[in-house]
Amino acid sequence: MARYLAHRVGQAILVVWLAYTLVFLAVQLLPSDPVTIFLTADSAVDQAAIDTMKSQYGYDQPLLVQYLNQLVGVLSGNFGYSLASGQSVLDRISGVAGSTVALAGSAFIVAGLMAVIVVAAATLTRSAILRRVLVNLPPLLAAVPVFWLGLVLLDLLSIRWGVMSLFPDGSVLSLAIPVLVLAAVVSAPLAQVLLKSMNQVYDQPFIDVLRAKGASRSWIFFRHALKNAAGPALTVMGITVGTLFAGSVITETVFARSGLGSVVLTAVTTQDVPLVQGLVLLTASVFVVVNLVVDLLYPLLDPRILKSNGQGAPRALTA
Amino acid sequence: MSTTHDFPAGAPVRDGAGQPAAVAPASPSGRRRLRNPSLWLTALPLAVIAAWAIVPEWFTAYSPFDGVPSENFRAPDAHHLFGTDHLGRDVFTRVVFGTRQTLLTAGLAVVIGLVAGTIIGLIAATAGRVADSAAMRLVDVLLAVPGFLISLVIVTAFSPGPISLGIGIGIASVASFARVVRSEVLRVRNLDFVEASFLNGGTYRSVVVRHILPNASGPVLALLAVDLGAAILAISGLGFLGFGAPPPTPEWGLLIAEGRQYLGTAWWLTTLPGVVIVLTVVLLAALGRQLLKTFRI
């Protein structure tokens, strides 16, 4: 277990470092430096102002110094400064991140529940028609753009039926609908993977043994099959954190909620490169940590994983 | 977006992906494989959508840019299938003409993902342990930075537009292509005929290009279809946020974004272009599943 832990944590740190390096290199590939891009985006600015701002943000230093300075900053929790406001990235988002985290977090949990409910209903129902409908629901939802689903629901609920206000007013519906819209879209790949691995589990002999023992269908599903089939779905849940972030930004825009979405949109439209860079690193770190947690939960669910660790990498192809 | 391709959901999966290809000689020939009605049932409507992109003027009598102001906000009827917008432009025409912009951006993204992913996956699977772990760490990083963010960085740096959008989404899809190519090449490279072609005097390059890649191409083709759908979804989302083609270019995501202002008066402006997006992506995903079934060795 200790080796598995060390391996996974080391891998996570490596990935964050590589992500940082790649983003840094990508910024170097820009036609000019971030300050010049930002200041000359809409109007002509004299060179002196550009130089002053460049030295304030450290863009006048040699590349290696910039790289190390920013790396030390990220390691100590400083993700850089916004060019527009001069605030640090964390300060810039601290006021609004809460509502995004609440939206994304609830949608994450609801999406997991939705996937389990759909798969449970599809597996346990005795109606062939219902099963067909349920089985085809996740592939359909996977093709639905989240902003379109939000707009159609907004049209129906607030304009046609008038049960919900167009703008967030703190009512239960105005909190629940965005969460449900985001969760529905995020749950689609989860349900697809869970359904697939559930089918594989139901082909295994131990299910027949349980049936022969007289276990009820729901007992077999919830006590035995679900735990066996949950592994791949758990991995996909870790990966959906990225989709969740994109979905949150879009959902917030559709439902006029305040949150990270508006920060992201402003940063992109004003070409505030350091702010976008900081947001990317922050999100990538969250993503890596969530996936690390998933990896560490995995052996609890399936102890076999510890034994099959360290499969050989492919050797070179030669005659 | 789903990077896994699915066996037909529902039907129990019975093939066992990693089995040796002892059954290979019995697999149907290329032509027989294509004699599959479900494959054509999904491919035909997609061909129509592709035709929208190539010759949009064949499918509609209206102009996508000039409307009849007196006929604005008409609900869908026989003359205007999808109704008309605030300028009296036919929405169906705007959707048909928007196909080209959407598919070009998505195509750019998919080509970047395919080419870069194939190279990385091939190197990982054939160039030894060090190259494999280096390539796979790169893939891990690409997976760790959500595709949405990669697109945002590119769009911020090079100002919003369809090309930076396509590049961003393309970079984001490199990882899934690299993974599929790597696992397919690993599966194929240990088959007997690869060894036989080396014995026949084949070089590394000739064996990879003429024997390994063609035999590994089925799942890659399937991923291509699925990824095109995923790219269309991502492009419409970013287009909705205003990072794609500028108005008045007809583009699917932008059409919905424009319709958003008239949500209360004209539901068809947002709803119907969205239905087209959903249909296209569903069909592409179904095509991917069919291709996976058709070309499975």
Side-chain angles (χ1 to χ4, degrees):
Chain A
M1 184 67 199
R3 236 186 98 197
Y4 178 80
L5 197 77
H7 180 73
R8 283 291 187 270
V9 172
Q11 208 174 16
I13 293 172
L14 187 70
V15 166
V16 172
W17 172 69
L18 276 174
Y20 166 76
T21 307
L22 280 184
V23 172
F24 183 85
L25 287 177
V27 172
Q28 306 314 314
L29 288 178
L30 296 185
S32 59
D33 64 286
V35 173
T36 312
I37 292 177
F38 176 72
L39 286 181
T40 54
D42 37 28
S43 58
V45 187
D46 68 306
Q47 192 58 40
I50 294 178
D51 289 340
T52 318
M53 199 164 171
K54 262 164 90 169
S55 72
Q56 276 170 355
Y57 281 86
Y59 285 112
D60 56 343
Q61 285 167 331
L63 275 189
L64 194 65
V65 177
Q66 284 187 37
Y67 177 80
L68 291 175
N69 274 345
Q70 292 182 24
L71 187 60
V72 170
V74 169
L75 286 178
S76 53
N78 178 357
F79 288 87
Y81 296 90
S82 157
L83 287 178
S85 63
Q87 288 171 297
S88 77
V89 170
L90 286 180
D91 281 343
R92 181 78 181 80
I93 64 172
S94 62
V96 290
S99 95
T100 305
V101 169
L103 173 69
S106 345
F108 193 58
I109 295 166
V110 174
L113 288 176
M114 275 170 134
V116 171
I117 290 170
V118 167
V119 174
T123 315
L124 295 178
T125 180
R126 289 179 197 273
S127 148
I129 299 169
L130 184 61
R131 185 182 152 81
R132 236 187 129 80
V133 170
L134 286 170
V135 157
N136 284 305
L137 192 63
L140 180 68
L141 272 181
V144 172
V146 64
F147 62 96
W148 179 73
L149 187 62
L151 285 176
V152 169
L153 278 180
L154 205 56
D155 183 25
L156 287 177
L157 290 176
S158 60
I159 293 169
R160 239 150 267 281
W161 302 333
V163 289
M164 174 188 153
S165 85
L166 255 180
F167 298 97
D169 58 352
S171 68
V172 180
L173 261 186
S174 78
L175 293 174
I177 293 297
V179 170
L180 282 177
V181 166
L182 186 53
V185 174
V186 169
S187 76
L190 282 180
Q192 281 176 298
V193 170
L194 191 59
L195 206 55
K196 191 172 137 189
S197 54
M198 193 61 78
N199 282 326
Q200 281 164 347
V201 168
Y202 267 80
D203 272 356
Q204 286 177 25
F206 80 89
I207 298 287
D208 294 333
V209 173
L210 287 168
R211 276 204 196 106
K213 251 175 51 177
S216 75
R217 288 153 55 85
S218 54
W219 178 273
I220 293 178
F221 183 88
F222 287 107
R223 295 300 299 246
H224 298 278
L226 191 58
K227 201 177 160 192
N228 270 285
L234 200 64
T235 306
V236 173
M237 241 181 137
I239 297 173
T240 49
V241 170
T243 324
L244 205 59
F245 178 75
S248 306
V249 169
I250 294 175
T251 312
E252 283 174 354
T253 312
V254 170
F255 291 98
R257 288 168 58 100
S258 66
L260 273 184
S262 57
V263 177
V264 169
L265 291 193
T266 328
V268 173
T269 41
T270 57
Q271 300 201 295
D272 194 340
V273 172
L275 182 54
V276 175
Q277 198 180 349
L279 288 170
V280 169
L281 284 176
L282 196 60
T283 317
S285 313
V286 171
F287 182 91
V288 168
V289 169
V290 170
N291 280 282
L292 182 67
V293 171
V294 166
D295 275 348
L296 297 182
L297 284 177
Y298 219 115
L300 297 181
L301 203 70
D302 187 352
R304 288 170 297 187
I305 203 86
L306 289 178
K307 289 181 183 156
S308 64
N309 199 17
Q311 297 148 344
R315 67 200 155 74
L317 180 78
T318 43
Chain B
M1 304 307 104
S2 122
T3 48
T4 50
H5 7 67
D6 306 279
F7 299 103
V13 181
R14 295 202 187 278
D15 73 309
Q19 266 173 22
V23 287
S27 77
S29 71
R31 202 179 288 176
R32 272 225 344 255
R33 281 179 185 168
L34 291 178
R35 216 178 285 155
N36 173 358
S38 352
L39 183 66
W40 294 110
L41 269 181
T42 51
L44 273 181
L46 285 171
V48 173
I49 292 171
W52 287 2
I54 301 165
V55 278
E57 59 278 1
W58 289 8
F59 294 89
T60 166
Y62 300 99
S63 153
F65 298 111
D66 306 316
V68 184
S70 58
E71 290 185 9
N72 62 353
F73 295 127
R74 292 279 166 92
D77 58 22
H79 295 289
H80 300 285
L81 274 180
F82 286 8
T84 62
D85 67 2
H86 60 293
L87 296 175
R89 296 177 296 195
D90 181 56
V91 177
F92 179 72
T93 304
R94 306 239 329 133
V95 170
V96 167
F97 274 83
T99 316
R100 183 179 292 171
Q101 186 62 62
T102 304
L103 285 191
L104 274 182
T105 315
L108 175 65
V110 170
V111 166
I112 291 174
L114 176 70
V115 172
T118 304
I119 293 171
I120 293 175
L122 203 58
I123 290 174
T126 59
R129 278 163 177 271
V130 179
D132 183 49
S133 46
M136 285 301 104
R137 285 299 83 77
L138 183 67
V139 167
D140 279 346
V141 176
L142 284 176
L143 285 176
V145 184
F148 181 70
L149 289 175
I150 299 181
S151 315
L152 283 189
V153 172
I154 306 270
V155 166
T156 314
F158 298 95
S159 75
I163 294 183
S164 32
L165 203 56
I167 293 175
I169 294 168
I171 294 176
S173 67
V174 167
S176 46
F177 277 103
R179 282 192 155 188
V180 170
V181 169
R182 174 180 179 268
S183 73
E184 276 306 296
V185 170
L186 281 183
R187 187 180 61 79
V188 172
R189 56 170 278 173
N190 290 327
L191 300 182
D192 288 343
F193 78 89
V194 173
E195 208 168 326
S197 28
F198 274 124
L199 286 174
N200 273 338
T203 60
Y204 171 85
R205 224 181 82 190
S206 75
V207 172
V208 164
V209 173
R210 297 180 60 178
H211 299 287
I212 295 186
L213 275 186
N215 278 291
S217 62
V220 180
L221 210 60
L223 179 62
L224 206 61
V226 175
D227 195 62
L228 190 63
I232 290 175
L233 270 186
I235 287 162
S236 65
L238 288 158
F240 170 77
L241 292 177
F243 298 155
T249 320
E251 192 273 330
W252 290 354
L254 195 59
L255 282 178
I256 298 178
E258 287 172 348
R260 185 183 171 211
Q261 302 161 33
Y262 308 100
L263 204 58
T265 36
W267 58 269
W268 53 90
L269 292 181
T270 44
T271 306
L272 297 179
V275 171
V276 174
I277 297 180
V278 173
L279 269 179
T280 312
V281 179
V282 164
L283 284 169
L284 281 168
L287 182 71
R289 279 199 295 275
Q290 291 296 334
L291 285 173
L292 201 62
K293 262 204 291 192
T294 310
F295 288 101
R296 190 181 298 152
I297 304 184

